[in-house]
Amino acid sequence: MVKNNHKTEGLSKMIRFYGTILWRNIHRGKLPYKAHLVLTWKCQSRCVMCDIWKRKSGDEFTLDEWRLFFQRNPFLRWITFTGGEPFLRNDLSQIVEAAARHCSGLYLINTPTNSLSPDKVLQTVENILHLGIPEYVLSISLDGPPEVHDRIRGIPGAWDKAMEVLKGAKTIQKSFPSGFNVVLEYTLLSESYGRFNEMVDAVRQHVPEI
């Protein structure tokens, strides 16, 4: 009965979610249904197209402040938690839990990652999935074949860690066959232009079904 209730609730949230998107293509609406929330400016990458890592990280919302934010904004249905590198927050799963508790119509959560802390990313992903959010998307940043990705990210071995997270996430996905999607985010730069298919071929050496 509990399982069926979860399915019914998830279906109801899905209908409201897509209904909201369709409606907002016609009418502006008074309140946002989507939020793009920066949890931290901290980042281990040294990307050529981004200087967030040069910023001093400070004055971030505490967990209690995020809880208060969601209490005051319970109408959100789609939240992107980003940074910096959001998985550098030790309380990321608790922040997501607060969003799920206070935003009754919340349907979709997504988090990008640079994958430079594989164990932490994968453990946090599992913690988030146990919260029972209808749809959770993990976006793995990948900007070209191995040598191109490492050069763009400014971190030797960044590609290998991204593959570690991708393979680990695909393994986790077997335990959560619905409601969990793993995608690759590709930034098109002069260094990576024309190398997309080469990147996909390189990924398939590690994860053939991608």
Side-chain angles (χ1 to χ4, degrees), residues 9-209:
E9 182 182 358
L11 179 61
S12 176
K13 287 182 177 180
M14 181 183 70
I15 293 170
R16 295 199 303 269
F17 175 72
Y18 287 108
T20 298
I21 293 176
L22 290 171
W23 179 254
R24 291 301 183 85
N25 275 278
I26 304 170
H27 299 279
R28 182 186 180 98
K30 294 181 179 179
L31 296 171
Y33 67 89
K34 183 182 189 300
H36 195 88
L37 304 179
V38 176
L39 300 183
T40 181
W41 296 115
K42 295 175 184 175
C43 188
Q44 320 98 307
S45 292
R46 298 294 180 264
C47 300
V48 299
M49 69 287 195
C50 176
D51 61 359
I52 282 178
W53 55 274
K54 295 180 182 178
R55 297 183 57 159
K56 289 185 178 180
S57 184
D59 199 26
E60 298 173 355
F61 269 22
T62 64
L63 176 58
D64 284 340
E65 287 173 319
W66 279 118
R67 285 171 176 151
L68 181 59
F69 173 85
F70 295 121
Q71 287 175 23
R72 293 178 174 178
N73 298 274
F75 43 79
L76 296 172
R77 301 187 187 280
W78 178 2
I79 302 175
T80 297
F81 291 108
T82 186
E85 169 58 25
F87 287 90
L88 287 179
R89 288 281 302 233
N90 292 325
D91 55 0
L92 175 56
S93 58
Q94 289 99 315
I95 293 172
V96 175
E97 182 181 16
R101 182 185 305 119
H102 296 294
C103 302
S104 60
L106 184 63
Y107 178 74
L108 175 60
I109 292 282
N110 66 287
T111 50
T113 181
N114 59 27
S115 301
L116 293 179
S117 300
D119 290 342
K120 189 172 186 179
V121 170
L122 294 172
Q123 182 58 63
T124 304
V125 165
E126 284 203 69
N127 293 341
I128 291 173
L129 287 169
H130 282 295
L131 297 174
I133 294 162
E135 289 291 333
Y136 173 53
V137 179
L138 177 69
S139 303
I140 298 174
S141 297
L142 207 61
D143 299 321
E147 73 284 357
V148 174
H149 178 74
D150 285 7
R151 185 165 62 250
I152 289 175
R153 293 279 152 175
I155 303 291
W159 167 274
D160 292 333
K161 290 186 176 182
M163 291 302 99
E164 185 177 345
V165 170
L166 177 59
K167 288 187 286 187
K170 282 296 186 181
T171 298
I172 293 172
Q173 201 172 33
K174 295 175 183 177
S175 299
F176 297 88
S178 62
F180 178 38
N181 288 294
V182 186
V183 301
L184 302 179
E185 281 195 14
Y186 182 75
T187 304
L188 184 59
L189 301 169
S190 58
E191 294 93 333
S192 60
Y193 183 77
R195 311 284 303 266
F196 182 80
N197 289 336
E198 184 182 348
M199 181 193 76
V200 173
D201 290 340
V203 171
R204 284 178 175 156
Q205 293 180 20
H206 299 270
V207 184
E209 71 274 15

